[in-house]
Amino acid sequence: MIRTARPSPTRRDLLAAGAALAVSQAFPSVASAQTPKFRRWEITDPAMPPRVLASYKAGIKKMLALPPTDPRNWYRNAIVHLLDCPHGNWWFLGWHRAYLGWLEVTLRDLSGDPEFALPYWDWTKTPRVPPAMFDDVLDPNNGAFIPTFQKFKTAFEPAITALYASFSSAQKAALPLRPFPLTTPADFWQILEQMFFDQPSARGLTATNPDLDSSTRLAVRMSTISSAVRTSLFAGSGAVGAPAGFQSAKAANHSSGSIKGILESGPHDNVHGAMGGGGVAFMISMYSPVDPIFFLHHGNLDRLWTVWTRRQTALGRPILPQGADLTAWSDEKFLFFSNAKGEPVSQTKAGDYAATVLFDYDYSPGSGDDQVPAPGPVAEASPQVFSARVTSAAVEAGTAAGGIADVPAAALASSASADSNPVVEVTLNLGHDDAGRRFRVLVSAGPGSAPVAAGAITVFGHPHHGPATFTVPLPDSLASAATGATVPLDVRVVPIGTPPRPGAAPTAAAAPAPLVSAIRIRTD
């Protein structure tokens, strides 16, 4: 079990905890007394004890068997994600760290394995669904799961009515902030019908077709991970034209925001898209935690946050927001988590999850660990931003949209240094029916230059109308392709199919084309 609850930390406590974590992970021999109690293993690591997956399956079975009135029920746990999870803002990683941690202690208790810790999936090393995740209840198409939405509604409708009646005034005040209506049980069922996927379509990839598609492979390749980890800023200001930062940008609250950093734009969204099977499986929707692979996917994202923290510490950079921003970030309330006994947790602030010490775990080695340098200063690049002229706005089936940004060749050349992080930021105006849509981002160095695939975009966690900004690494090869003093970088957004909105029939009419409203090249 986890250690006794502690009060919310002060700014000094957070900085000290984060620094201590970074030191203990980077130099375990120096801080052996601080070795975490639990290890999260990479699922394909031969050193992972066999009991890890056995306990995961045992815990899931227990959660599936609990009554719908129990907060520890597997589907009730997934409802927490629907009601409260953040995307496109600087609480994205902190909230999911809490979500994984509380599930982990519940599984530890229910499985009877006092050493259990969630495994993670290093999709950079293994860009396909690990074979073990098709075994027994690790596959949401297993018979232990509820097969249809109608059967789910019949079983859970009284429990959902009781759940809504039990919400505190603070929880009730949080629900209208969600990007889709969830303030009443009727709202809940209307939304969930679009996000519940009947078997055998609970997961998009299968044991006979386990590979991530080529666009998702772009999003999880090592160069993308390195670019994400090299992002020096915890979070951007949230202003138009400002960078997203590592965590995604600041927002008014954790149910708002739509400016995504590389980690969320790239591996997070696109693995969800690939596992969501083109818009017809749980992982593309906000009810994605029904699929047990959700927690392995987010475990890898959380691991990369620890890698980023170690890198920032080694370079003498802040690992958390500074000044008033730290207070704003730390004090944000997370009000829907339950502990291993199904009781509301006392750790209700984002700051409680700034480090891994609350849940007392670390990770086995994975992709990106080599991005942590020896301690020492590093020369900081000067920020340079170049806005593109949007020449074609509508991203329609079979038609690319995009624009051209005139970038000095010297800026591209200077961005080739080891610690620079050149990116392209694409802002799309999206509507309700764009959830689940996917695009590939191509960049070429002017007329006659072959386009290079920079990355991919999956619309995930943005079901409302309005602009959303996605951050994609700029290919290093563009610097060598420059032939003049100024390079007209041509950025194209190419649709990948025309999937329906989550929950809609595959034959549903295509939604109106989303529009490219802005493109920026950032070479810092």
Side-chain angles (χ1 to χ4, degrees), residues 219-284:
V220 302
R221 61 185 173 181
M222 193 61 234
S223 60
T224 301
I225 302 309
S226 299
S227 186
V229 172
R230 288 200 304 266
T231 304
S232 61
L233 188 65
F234 181 89
S237 68
V240 175
F246 177 73
Q247 298 263 343
S248 296
K250 291 167 57 177
N253 58 69
H254 74 273
S255 286
S256 62
S258 57
I259 301 176
K260 298 184 176 185
I262 295 170
L263 194 65
E264 187 175 0
S265 296
H268 172 263
D269 288 1
N270 285 284
V271 170
H272 268 284
M275 297 301 302
V280 291
F282 276 111
M283 277 288 281
I284 197 59

